[in-house]
Amino acid sequence: QVQMVEYGGGSVQAGGSLTLSCVLSGYKYGDSCLGWFRQVTGKEREGVAVIETGSGTTYYADSVAGRFTISHDDVRTTLYLQMESLKLEDSAVYSCAASGKPYCSATLWRYTDRYTVWGQGTQVTVSS
């Protein structure tokens, strides 16, 4: 059974940093597009960043580009999201996701229906 479990959420002051981890188990798709999404209650889930595990290509939402870094550890089958210079508006439930497709697509990566496996989410709260 494929599972994705997030770790590292919590509370942080604005301007601070936080790193999220997502451990994949039972995943056998080989090269794949993995990503982080976030959702605020009452709003649609939005794409934050994705990475192609084969090529290392990454895509970021404009709102986080330059502040967040997505990476993948093939050995530990772990996906990371390093978040710096956090803002109040970064507060959300962050979820990792996996697509069976080897490419993320610059124009389609934000669409949630491309991802077949999801973690349960971890809360990130940024306070002033």
Side-chain angles (χ1 to χ4, degrees), residues 12-102:
V12 63
Q13 285 194 322
S17 302
L18 205 60
T19 297
L20 304 181
S21 303
C22 172
V23 178
L24 292 75
S25 59
Y27 193 72
K28 301 178 181 177
Y29 289 126
D31 291 344
S32 185
C33 175
L34 305 179
W36 289 96
F37 291 75
R38 66 186 182 187
Q39 188 170 26
V40 176
T41 302
K43 293 188 177 182
E44 287 191 1
R45 182 177 283 172
E46 67 167 342
V48 175
V50 294
I51 184 168
E52 295 177 356
T53 61
S55 68
T57 299
T58 57
Y59 299 102
Y60 293 90
D62 290 343
S63 58
V64 306
R67 299 188 298 121
F68 290 13
T69 302
I70 188 171
S71 60
H72 175 248
D73 183 335
D74 221 7
V75 175
R76 295 179 177 81
T77 61
T78 303
L79 181 69
Y80 301 97
L81 184 68
Q82 184 177 351
M83 304 183 292
E84 298 178 349
S85 302
L86 283 162
K87 303 177 180 179
L88 298 179
E89 53 265 39
D90 292 321
S91 295
V93 174
Y94 285 71
S95 301
C96 54
S99 162
K101 303 173 177 60

